[in-house]
Amino acid sequence: MPAERKLFIKTYGCQMNVYDSERMAEALGGSGYVVTDDAEEADMILLNTCHIREKAAEKMYSELGRLRGLKDANPDLRIGVAGCVAQAEGQEILRRQPLVDLVVGPQSYHRLPQMEARVRGGERALDTDFPDEDKFDHLAARPRARRGPGAFLTVQEGCDKFCAFCVVPYTRGAEVSRPAARVLSEARDLVERGVREITLLGQNVNAYHGDGTGGEWSLARLIRELARIDGLDRIRYTTSHPNDMDDDLIAAHGEVAELMPYLHLPVQSGSDRVLKAMNRKHTADSYLRLIGRIRAARPDILISGDFIVGFPGETESDFADTLALVGAVEYGQCYSFKYSTRPGTPAAERPQVEEPVKDDRLRRLQALLRDQQHAVQRRMVGQEVGVLFDKPGREPGQMVGKSDHLHSVFVFVAGDGVARGDLRRVRITASAPNSLAGTLV
Ligand code: SAH
Ligand code: SF4
Ligand code: F3S
């Protein structure tokens, strides 16, 4: 057995990075590492980074600056950068930051144990290939520890859509789906370890088309099979592209009880002119009709989305179209961002919208989205929903969990024997800005 070493991982960016960090920890478990949440006692620190907006990448460089003291205090400490900044700026990170020992891109995590051995020997290691082999196939050696009630499971990676603003096709590579059998066996393993809710992940998860028995499986087929696993009570998936919502997937929302009534379906803008310039390949109207069909299949579904304001060329009238689309959809939850120029993407070369204009539009959009979110939450009051309890609440005797619609719900459970991982019926009694309160039914 190798000597026990401590691994500290800091994760930025999307849920796929959260999943990848777990898998990296497992891969390095075979090299004798156990995870710590205290960077000061670590023998290896990995920053799992995000490149989606400019600020995300800056965060990594300032975090590296803060780690200098730790490295001075412990010369055996090794520091690695993983994730999408590693992929985009690998060589430059090594050049700019002498304290970085290891740079690994998102498709090369299965090579981490070999890279770790090299950096232990005093070398610096860089791997930002897009290898042919599936990184997940080689990440199987893992401790079968008990898990909390919810888990992520990446089923699809990469993107072939090339929206004009987005770095993902460059940092994560081409769209690849994992074989259905591997997804199913990983899901069964998670359920045996205590998981009751699985969120399937992919940058274009609804474009999933993995090898399965009898040919390629769609996401709908995969969900229907997952739903048959005993003990798996809840299934979610994220993130989806409007153009990949097929009829079967929409139907599954009405038919599969385990598929939760929540859908993250980013539209980015309500202006057809901007959508075209973004290379989104859908219109505001096609999106609204799609939402209509989804709601016909599952009337109580909560829709969430992403918006970008101040995309190059966006006028006040384009922005008014975005506000109108938001008004028509009624989002339960939404993320909105100011357009951030990403070097190497087509939109970076175009005339940019001025910063104060972006600030103003973001403020107005967020005010509208906030009102909608609150209205949707208030409508939940009086309704009965499922809540999967996850942790203690803010007050004694209180537990908090996620509702079917992904709201955080606080419930007083003292004396009712509710434990982490219990799924119970709850009547919603009140709505706070970012959560709900309820009582056990
Ligand atoms: N694959 C998903 C999400 C990709 S990234 C999808 O297609 O929707 C998550 C969100 O970040 C995007 O939906 C978009 O709203 C935002 N985003 C991506 N690139 C951006 C940029 N250059 N500036 C601002 N926001 C961006
Ligand atoms: Fe980025 Fe567009 Fe691909 Fe989503 S669909 S990851 S926004 S390029
Ligand atoms: Fe960020 Fe990469 Fe995810 S850029 S959003 S970590 S895919």
PDB file of all heavy atoms in Angstrom, residues 51 83-85 87-88 105-107 130 167-173:
ATOM      1  N   HIS A  51     -13.913  28.044 -17.541  1.00  0.00           N
ATOM      2  CA  HIS A  51     -13.441  29.052 -18.497  1.00  0.00           C
ATOM      3  C   HIS A  51     -14.593  29.787 -19.159  1.00  0.00           C
ATOM      4  O   HIS A  51     -14.400  30.545 -20.102  1.00  0.00           O
ATOM      5  CB  HIS A  51     -12.605  28.321 -19.568  1.00  0.00           C
ATOM      6  CG  HIS A  51     -11.634  29.196 -20.290  1.00  0.00           C
ATOM      7  ND1 HIS A  51     -11.657  29.376 -21.648  1.00  0.00           N
ATOM      8  CD2 HIS A  51     -10.609  29.953 -19.842  1.00  0.00           C
ATOM      9  CE1 HIS A  51     -10.684  30.195 -22.003  1.00  0.00           C
ATOM     10  NE2 HIS A  51     -10.042  30.563 -20.936  1.00  0.00           N
ATOM     11  N   GLY A  83      -9.568  20.949 -15.439  1.00  0.00           N
ATOM     12  CA  GLY A  83     -10.767  21.617 -15.926  1.00  0.00           C
ATOM     13  C   GLY A  83     -10.537  22.452 -17.161  1.00  0.00           C
ATOM     14  O   GLY A  83      -9.538  22.318 -17.874  1.00  0.00           O
ATOM     15  N   CYS A  84     -11.480  23.362 -17.399  1.00  0.00           N
ATOM     16  CA  CYS A  84     -11.553  24.030 -18.697  1.00  0.00           C
ATOM     17  C   CYS A  84     -10.501  25.117 -18.883  1.00  0.00           C
ATOM     18  O   CYS A  84     -10.109  25.392 -20.011  1.00  0.00           O
ATOM     19  CB  CYS A  84     -12.968  24.558 -18.914  1.00  0.00           C
ATOM     20  SG  CYS A  84     -14.156  23.201 -19.123  1.00  0.00           S
ATOM     21  N   VAL A  85     -10.011  25.760 -17.796  1.00  0.00           N
ATOM     22  CA  VAL A  85      -8.901  26.707 -17.978  1.00  0.00           C
ATOM     23  C   VAL A  85      -7.638  25.931 -18.322  1.00  0.00           C
ATOM     24  O   VAL A  85      -6.839  26.350 -19.163  1.00  0.00           O
ATOM     25  CB  VAL A  85      -8.664  27.585 -16.728  1.00  0.00           C
ATOM     26  CG1 VAL A  85      -7.578  28.607 -17.004  1.00  0.00           C
ATOM     27  CG2 VAL A  85      -9.936  28.297 -16.304  1.00  0.00           C
ATOM     28  N   GLN A  87      -7.485  23.242 -20.002  1.00  0.00           N
ATOM     29  CA  GLN A  87      -7.575  22.870 -21.408  1.00  0.00           C
ATOM     30  C   GLN A  87      -7.243  24.062 -22.304  1.00  0.00           C
ATOM     31  O   GLN A  87      -6.526  23.930 -23.287  1.00  0.00           O
ATOM     32  CB  GLN A  87      -8.992  22.359 -21.719  1.00  0.00           C
ATOM     33  CG  GLN A  87      -9.131  21.769 -23.095  1.00  0.00           C
ATOM     34  CD  GLN A  87      -8.263  20.533 -23.285  1.00  0.00           C
ATOM     35  OE1 GLN A  87      -8.214  19.657 -22.432  1.00  0.00           O
ATOM     36  NE2 GLN A  87      -7.533  20.485 -24.384  1.00  0.00           N
ATOM     37  N   ALA A  88      -7.776  25.225 -21.940  1.00  0.00           N
ATOM     38  CA  ALA A  88      -7.654  26.394 -22.816  1.00  0.00           C
ATOM     39  C   ALA A  88      -6.275  27.052 -22.725  1.00  0.00           C
ATOM     40  O   ALA A  88      -5.769  27.576 -23.708  1.00  0.00           O
ATOM     41  CB  ALA A  88      -8.739  27.410 -22.481  1.00  0.00           C
ATOM     42  N   GLY A 105      -6.267  18.446 -18.694  1.00  0.00           N
ATOM     43  CA  GLY A 105      -7.527  18.825 -19.338  1.00  0.00           C
ATOM     44  C   GLY A 105      -8.624  17.832 -19.009  1.00  0.00           C
ATOM     45  O   GLY A 105      -8.358  16.700 -18.607  1.00  0.00           O
ATOM     46  N   PRO A 106      -9.891  18.259 -19.191  1.00  0.00           N
ATOM     47  CA  PRO A 106     -11.049  17.452 -18.748  1.00  0.00           C
ATOM     48  C   PRO A 106     -11.158  16.074 -19.391  1.00  0.00           C
ATOM     49  O   PRO A 106     -11.880  15.229 -18.879  1.00  0.00           O
ATOM     50  CB  PRO A 106     -12.252  18.310 -19.155  1.00  0.00           C
ATOM     51  CG  PRO A 106     -11.733  19.672 -19.389  1.00  0.00           C
ATOM     52  CD  PRO A 106     -10.292  19.558 -19.745  1.00  0.00           C
ATOM     53  N   GLN A 107     -10.504  15.835 -20.518  1.00  0.00           N
ATOM     54  CA  GLN A 107     -10.644  14.507 -21.134  1.00  0.00           C
ATOM     55  C   GLN A 107      -9.495  13.575 -20.770  1.00  0.00           C
ATOM     56  O   GLN A 107      -9.379  12.480 -21.319  1.00  0.00           O
ATOM     57  CB  GLN A 107     -10.761  14.634 -22.665  1.00  0.00           C
ATOM     58  CG  GLN A 107     -11.917  15.491 -23.144  1.00  0.00           C
ATOM     59  CD  GLN A 107     -13.261  15.159 -22.496  1.00  0.00           C
ATOM     60  OE1 GLN A 107     -13.500  14.040 -22.046  1.00  0.00           O
ATOM     61  NE2 GLN A 107     -14.147  16.131 -22.420  1.00  0.00           N
ATOM     62  N   PHE A 130      -7.152  15.241 -26.404  1.00  0.00           N
ATOM     63  CA  PHE A 130      -8.501  14.680 -26.473  1.00  0.00           C
ATOM     64  C   PHE A 130      -8.328  13.221 -26.886  1.00  0.00           C
ATOM     65  O   PHE A 130      -8.483  12.883 -28.053  1.00  0.00           O
ATOM     66  CB  PHE A 130      -9.364  15.434 -27.497  1.00  0.00           C
ATOM     67  CG  PHE A 130      -9.741  16.818 -27.059  1.00  0.00           C
ATOM     68  CD1 PHE A 130      -9.252  17.927 -27.724  1.00  0.00           C
ATOM     69  CD2 PHE A 130     -10.599  17.006 -25.989  1.00  0.00           C
ATOM     70  CE1 PHE A 130      -9.616  19.211 -27.328  1.00  0.00           C
ATOM     71  CE2 PHE A 130     -10.970  18.292 -25.590  1.00  0.00           C
ATOM     72  CZ  PHE A 130     -10.480  19.389 -26.262  1.00  0.00           C
ATOM     73  N   VAL A 167     -17.145  28.771 -25.106  1.00  0.00           N
ATOM     74  CA  VAL A 167     -15.852  28.069 -25.158  1.00  0.00           C
ATOM     75  C   VAL A 167     -15.987  26.549 -25.046  1.00  0.00           C
ATOM     76  O   VAL A 167     -15.015  25.827 -25.286  1.00  0.00           O
ATOM     77  CB  VAL A 167     -14.910  28.522 -24.014  1.00  0.00           C
ATOM     78  CG1 VAL A 167     -14.502  29.971 -24.158  1.00  0.00           C
ATOM     79  CG2 VAL A 167     -15.537  28.267 -22.636  1.00  0.00           C
ATOM     80  N   VAL A 168     -17.168  26.064 -24.646  1.00  0.00           N
ATOM     81  CA  VAL A 168     -17.286  24.638 -24.316  1.00  0.00           C
ATOM     82  C   VAL A 168     -16.835  23.689 -25.440  1.00  0.00           C
ATOM     83  O   VAL A 168     -16.117  22.730 -25.185  1.00  0.00           O
ATOM     84  CB  VAL A 168     -18.709  24.308 -23.812  1.00  0.00           C
ATOM     85  CG1 VAL A 168     -18.932  22.808 -23.698  1.00  0.00           C
ATOM     86  CG2 VAL A 168     -18.959  24.974 -22.460  1.00  0.00           C
ATOM     87  N   PRO A 169     -17.211  23.963 -26.705  1.00  0.00           N
ATOM     88  CA  PRO A 169     -16.749  23.042 -27.762  1.00  0.00           C
ATOM     89  C   PRO A 169     -15.221  22.961 -27.843  1.00  0.00           C
ATOM     90  O   PRO A 169     -14.682  21.958 -28.299  1.00  0.00           O
ATOM     91  CB  PRO A 169     -17.333  23.647 -29.040  1.00  0.00           C
ATOM     92  CG  PRO A 169     -18.529  24.423 -28.569  1.00  0.00           C
ATOM     93  CD  PRO A 169     -18.121  24.981 -27.238  1.00  0.00           C
ATOM     94  N   TYR A 170     -14.543  24.025 -27.397  1.00  0.00           N
ATOM     95  CA  TYR A 170     -13.079  24.025 -27.453  1.00  0.00           C
ATOM     96  C   TYR A 170     -12.470  23.388 -26.195  1.00  0.00           C
ATOM     97  O   TYR A 170     -11.439  22.742 -26.264  1.00  0.00           O
ATOM     98  CB  TYR A 170     -12.547  25.457 -27.617  1.00  0.00           C
ATOM     99  CG  TYR A 170     -13.254  26.213 -28.730  1.00  0.00           C
ATOM    100  CD1 TYR A 170     -14.321  27.060 -28.459  1.00  0.00           C
ATOM    101  CD2 TYR A 170     -12.877  26.023 -30.060  1.00  0.00           C
ATOM    102  CE1 TYR A 170     -14.991  27.729 -29.481  1.00  0.00           C
ATOM    103  CE2 TYR A 170     -13.554  26.683 -31.085  1.00  0.00           C
ATOM    104  CZ  TYR A 170     -14.600  27.534 -30.778  1.00  0.00           C
ATOM    105  OH  TYR A 170     -15.273  28.179 -31.791  1.00  0.00           O
ATOM    106  N   THR A 171     -13.103  23.618 -25.035  1.00  0.00           N
ATOM    107  CA  THR A 171     -12.493  23.107 -23.801  1.00  0.00           C
ATOM    108  C   THR A 171     -12.887  21.660 -23.518  1.00  0.00           C
ATOM    109  O   THR A 171     -12.145  20.931 -22.885  1.00  0.00           O
ATOM    110  CB  THR A 171     -12.871  23.955 -22.570  1.00  0.00           C
ATOM    111  OG1 THR A 171     -14.284  23.920 -22.392  1.00  0.00           O
ATOM    112  CG2 THR A 171     -12.413  25.388 -22.717  1.00  0.00           C
ATOM    113  N   ARG A 172     -14.081  21.262 -23.957  1.00  0.00           N
ATOM    114  CA  ARG A 172     -14.527  19.899 -23.650  1.00  0.00           C
ATOM    115  C   ARG A 172     -14.474  18.997 -24.868  1.00  0.00           C
ATOM    116  O   ARG A 172     -14.692  17.795 -24.751  1.00  0.00           O
ATOM    117  CB  ARG A 172     -15.956  19.919 -23.098  1.00  0.00           C
ATOM    118  CG  ARG A 172     -16.072  20.569 -21.756  1.00  0.00           C
ATOM    119  CD  ARG A 172     -15.833  19.557 -20.624  1.00  0.00           C
ATOM    120  NE  ARG A 172     -15.716  20.257 -19.360  1.00  0.00           N
ATOM    121  CZ  ARG A 172     -15.733  19.673 -18.171  1.00  0.00           C
ATOM    122  NH1 ARG A 172     -15.871  18.369 -18.055  1.00  0.00           N
ATOM    123  NH2 ARG A 172     -15.586  20.380 -17.081  1.00  0.00           N
ATOM    124  N   GLY A 173     -14.283  19.580 -26.043  1.00  0.00           N
ATOM    125  CA  GLY A 173     -14.149  18.769 -27.250  1.00  0.00           C
ATOM    126  C   GLY A 173     -15.480  18.357 -27.839  1.00  0.00           C
ATOM    127  O   GLY A 173     -16.533  18.866 -27.464  1.00  0.00           O
TER     128      GLY A 173
END
